[in-house]
Amino acid sequence: MGKEITVCLSFDFDAISVWAGPRGTKAAPLIARGEFGEVGAERLVDLFDARHIPTTWFIPGHTIDTYPEICRRVASAGHEIGYHGYCHEAPSSTRDEYDERQILERSIECIERISGRPPAGHRLPGGNPGTRWVNMLLEHGFSYDSSMAPRDFEPTYMRLGDVVRTDGPHEFGAPVDLVILPFDWILDDWPYFNYEPHGGRQRLRSPNDVYDIWAAEFHYLHEKLETGVYVLTMHPQCIGKGSRMLMLERLIDYFEQHTGVTFSTMSAVADTFRARKPL
Ligand SMILES: [Zn+2]
């Protein structure tokens, strides 16, 4: 069998939501970093228009309500739009089911408003999905989640009912009809490119370092494993800077030099996986 690698370029278009929501800040310099996400998003849509590459965008409702024009542009350029909270909320045991449902449904409505359809994909803005949240996703017809990576380059099914034990082996629960597409920090731009002055250890990484890591992950998949899905997660406010955009273009060139590589939306990957390996 020949090589079959699907590359999914995905974007968490957090914009201001990640600063206003989980960070709870009103500080103009931090809000401004979120604002830059709009600039980054414009650059990215231009790039993918020119290269004819379909991509997947997880967009909080807050971003859609704040920047409807660029979000419409993303959707009308044919990119997939997935769920990423209203204001970047993680599911929480301190919120009741009614409040969680409000966040989910309000965000779905925002996505329907700009794209004309409900989201098939879900990426958790941090935290642990939990049984209640996963059941709500199933109830709302989500096809896949991309918030964890039990396999680095392979889709799997979400499980419910795991029992985490320390006095014996882990007890695995039963799979449910929600595909997991890998999300892993190694293939995410945030840990490399998001600098927080008072955040301690972190320092900015060179785009060349990040190119080396991302290209080597791809190389291993292509050479050793030969089939799989390669999901890259980026944030317009991080990747949208000039030096990083040039790195991303170089990386796309590198992918395209290989045989058996296609670019796809994540929902198409989930559909193919489900058709080949139904639950
Ligand atoms: Zn996010």
Side-chain angles (χ1 to χ4, degrees):
M1 204 172 79
K3 294 180 194 280
E4 190 185 331
I5 312 289
T6 309
V7 173
C8 295
L9 302 179
S10 76
F11 297 91
D12 294 358
F13 189 7
D14 298 333
I16 294 167
S17 73
V18 68
W19 304 106
R23 309 296 169 98
T25 188
K26 293 184 167 59
L30 291 176
I31 299 294
R33 285 169 65 167
E35 277 181 73
F36 180 75
E38 184 192 22
V39 178
E42 294 280 3
R43 291 177 183 171
L44 290 161
V45 179
D46 287 345
L47 172 64
F48 300 128
D49 273 355
R51 311 261 326 211
H52 306 289
I53 292 175
T55 65
T56 303
W57 293 60
F58 297 92
I59 312 187
H62 185 274
T63 301
I64 293 172
D65 284 346
T66 307
Y67 298 111
E69 266 175 50
I70 177 61
C71 293
R72 280 213 173 79
R73 195 178 159 218
V74 172
S76 63
H79 302 291
E80 179 192 346
I81 315 286
Y83 173 90
H84 200 51
Y86 183 79
C87 199
H88 214 270
E89 303 88 350
S92 163
S93 54
T94 58
R95 243 184 257 115
D96 66 17
E97 182 173 345
Y98 175 81
D99 289 339
E100 296 257 283
R101 196 172 280 278
Q102 293 289 102
I103 293 168
L104 182 66
E105 290 177 356
R106 184 179 185 192
S107 310
I108 291 172
E109 279 165 25
C110 291
I111 291 168
E112 282 177 325
R113 200 188 321 132
I114 56 154
S115 71
R117 63 178 76 112
H122 168 268
R123 179 171 285 150
L124 210 62
N128 171 20
T131 302
R132 184 175 75 188
W133 187 257
V134 170
N135 280 326
M136 275 200 274
L137 297 181
L138 292 168
E139 182 195 322
H140 285 82
F142 280 86
S143 165
Y144 73 91
D145 167 68
S146 180
S147 312
M148 60 186 91
R151 302 280 185 273
D152 48 2
F153 301 120
E154 250 180 87
T156 49
Y157 283 105
M158 180 76 82
R159 286 189 312 270
L160 286 182
D162 273 31
V163 181
V164 180
R165 307 176 59 132
T166 56
D167 59 345
H170 188 81
E171 286 180 26
F172 295 97
V176 293
D177 194 18
L178 187 68
V179 174
I180 295 180
L181 298 180
F183 160 82
D184 200 329
W185 290 108
I186 192 172
L187 293 179
D188 185 310
D189 64 352
W190 193 266
Y192 306 117
F193 292 149
N194 175 54
Y195 178 66
E196 297 192 39
H198 308 296
R201 305 173 302 279
Q202 229 177 345
R203 67 185 179 88
L204 291 178
R205 296 288 290 271
S206 149
N208 290 333
D209 288 354
V210 178
Y211 177 92
D212 287 347
I213 296 167
W214 290 355
E217 287 290 317
F218 177 85
H219 182 74
Y220 185 85
L221 168 60
H222 192 268
E223 291 309 306
K224 308 277 190 192
L225 307 177
E226 304 199 335
T227 60
V229 56
Y230 179 98
V231 181
L232 206 53
T233 297
M234 292 162 280
H235 298 74
Q237 61 187 286
C238 292
I239 201 76
K241 306 288 182 185
S243 57
R244 300 162 183 173
M245 288 294 292
L246 293 174
M247 181 274 280
L248 177 60
E249 287 191 53
R250 201 153 57 88
L251 192 68
I252 291 169
D253 292 340
Y254 177 73
F255 296 155
E256 287 183 337
Q257 285 159 15
H258 290 73
T259 54
V261 175
T262 50
F263 291 88
S264 170
T265 61
M266 294 174 70
S267 63
V269 173
D271 289 348
T272 303
F273 174 73
R274 190 177 269 109
R276 287 178 184 176
K277 285 191 183 173
L279 192 60

